[in-house]
Amino acid sequence: DTGVSQDPRHKITKRGQNVTFRCDPISEHNRLYWYRQTLGQGPEFLTYFQNEAQLEKSRLLSDRFSAERPKGSFSTLEIQRTEQGDSAMYLCASSLGGADTEAFFGQGTRLTVV
Amino acid sequence: AQSVTQLDSQVPVFEEAPVELRCNYSSSVSVYLFWYVQYPNQGLQLLLKYLSGSTLVKGINGFEAEFNKSQTSFHLRKPSVHISDTAEYFCAVSETGGFKTIFGAGTRLFVKA
């Protein structure tokens, strides 16, 4: 397995456009997380899936943000009507087990809203 | 709610010198503690973790960390750093029985020749 992969690695979009990012976790991992990282900050938790169930989404930044994980495999994060403040690195991570297990991170998708 | 404070945003150090990266956390419940490293243009990877038991935890690349419950700290140390240790280091905490990991703002370690 090649680890967690994210696509695209970079995305430049105009303000007001919608964007969608994809994350492919390590195949046997049942837990999948989305984080956002801005310059000079650590990753900020956004949402979490256990298999296909989204068990926590209260930290999604607004109703413009939504995430899915159909069939408990890959996941998508969509941002509608992007704003300049959405510019950040969006990280995906997966793990097998609970809060005591290692999370494996992808390299992230860097979003720039112009 | 949990929080993590990394006391130094940048730490410059000469090669082969010792280094300590400081981390303090707050939580009302029992926690697990982690250190992750992020090399340039790479994803975060786990250096080490504390779950329970011995308060001194050894990780990869010669790093170790000590859990101090009374001081709510989890400082990362290495006795002799290499140029290749230049990276961003993140301290993180998760509640036992929880699901999300909270990260500190990171410490940039810069090793000079």
Side-chain angles (χ1 to χ4, degrees):
Chain A
D1 193 282
T2 57
V4 177
S5 63
Q6 293 187 244
D7 182 72
R9 293 286 312 279
H10 304 273
K11 177 71 176 179
I12 300 174
T13 191
K14 292 183 178 179
R15 190 172 48 188
Q17 296 294 306
N18 300 343
V19 294
T20 300
F21 310 141
R22 178 182 171 118
C23 171
D24 286 273
I26 293 173
S27 57
E28 64 268 25
H29 285 185
N30 59 338
R31 295 190 175 205
L32 187 147
Y33 309 83
W34 283 99
Y35 287 84
R36 184 179 79 154
Q37 187 176 19
T38 53
L39 199 63
Q41 298 298 316
E44 174 189 1
F45 173 82
L46 294 180
T47 189
Y48 151 69
F49 291 85
Q50 184 160 324
N51 300 311
E52 68 274 13
Q54 189 174 15
L55 298 185
E56 173 61 51
K57 60 179 180 179
S58 63
R59 302 299 294 179
L60 285 170
L61 301 164
S62 76
D63 58 6
R64 298 184 295 105
F65 287 71
S66 62
E68 294 183 341
R69 192 184 183 194
K71 304 178 182 177
S73 56
F74 72 92
S75 175
T76 57
L77 177 70
E78 181 182 15
I79 309 173
Q80 296 182 329
R81 305 180 303 282
T82 52
E83 302 172 357
Q84 286 189 319
D86 297 332
S87 296
M89 179 75 86
Y90 291 85
L91 301 173
C92 176
S94 69
S95 70
L96 181 64
D100 59 336
T101 57
E102 175 181 359
F104 291 80
F105 282 81
Q107 291 183 279
T109 295
R110 181 168 297 282
L111 173 67
T112 302
V113 182
V114 297
Chain B
Q2 315 135 67
S3 67
V4 178
T5 303
Q6 291 186 243
L7 297 161
D8 306 292
S9 59
Q10 295 185 72
V11 173
V13 63
F14 284 104
E15 192 174 20
E16 297 183 7
V19 71
E20 178 179 81
L21 306 184
R22 296 179 294 167
C23 172
N24 286 89
Y25 70 93
S26 67
S27 177
S28 57
V29 299
S30 297
V31 296
Y32 302 127
L33 294 158
F34 305 83
W35 276 97
Y36 282 82
V37 61
Q38 186 173 31
Y39 298 105
N41 298 315
Q42 294 188 28
L44 280 80
Q45 63 183 84
L46 184 68
L47 267 182
L48 48 80
K49 62 182 179 182
Y50 171 79
L51 303 182
S52 64
S54 172
T55 57
L56 184 62
V57 180
K58 294 190 182 297
I60 62 171
N61 300 339
F63 283 93
E64 62 182 31
E66 186 156 20
F67 171 57
N68 188 319
K69 187 174 182 179
S70 63
Q71 296 186 1
T72 60
S73 68
F74 191 54
H75 301 333
L76 181 71
R77 302 186 184 102
K78 186 170 182 177
S80 175
V81 294
H82 303 290
I83 297 286
S84 60
D85 291 323
T86 294
E88 187 101 26
Y89 292 80
F90 294 95
C91 182
V93 61
S94 60
E95 290 182 359
T96 58
F99 55 84
K100 67 183 176 186
T101 302
I102 304 300
F103 286 82
T107 297
R108 182 168 297 278
L109 175 64
F110 180 58
V111 181
K112 301 177 285 186

